[in-house]
């Protein structure tokens, strides 16, 4: 079983994105599929990424902090 076939997991990265691993389907608010581009997907949770829903690393420069 490949990593892409396994049950999806979502792991908060400290002071950063949500890391999504496994088989998931990403969709826009209109329901259109979003290609994940990678096996592990980093979803922005700071709200500052220019490539939402993906993280582009802006959280670091912005000093985004989380509790987890
Ligand atoms: S969490 Fe990385 S840019 Fe928002």
């Amino acid at each position: 079983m490949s990593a892409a076939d396994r049950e999806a997991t979502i792991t908060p990265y400290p002071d950063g994105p949500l890391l999504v691993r496994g088989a998931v389907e990403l969709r826009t608010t209109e329901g259109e599929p979003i290609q994940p581009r990678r096996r592990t997907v980093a979803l922005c949770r700071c709200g500052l990424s220019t490539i939402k829903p993906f993280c582009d690393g802006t959280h670091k420069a912005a000093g985004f902090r989380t509790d987890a």
Side-chain angles (χ1 to χ4, degrees):
M1 178 183 289
S2 73
D5 297 331
R6 291 187 194 126
E7 189 171 317
T9 62
I10 301 174
T11 307
Y13 190 84
D15 302 332
L18 298 174
L19 300 180
V20 181
R21 297 181 176 93
V24 294
E25 242 183 61
L26 296 173
R27 295 193 179 261
T28 66
T29 54
E30 291 80 30
E32 298 298 319
I34 299 173
Q35 297 306 318
R37 303 185 215 169
R38 298 183 177 144
R39 277 191 199 169
T40 298
V41 177
L43 296 178
C44 176
R45 65 174 169 156
C46 74
L48 300 172
S49 174
T50 59
I51 57 168
K52 292 182 192 90
F54 304 108
C55 168
D56 68 357
T58 301
H59 61 269
K60 287 182 187 170
F64 179 66
R65 295 285 179 260
T66 63
D67 292 335

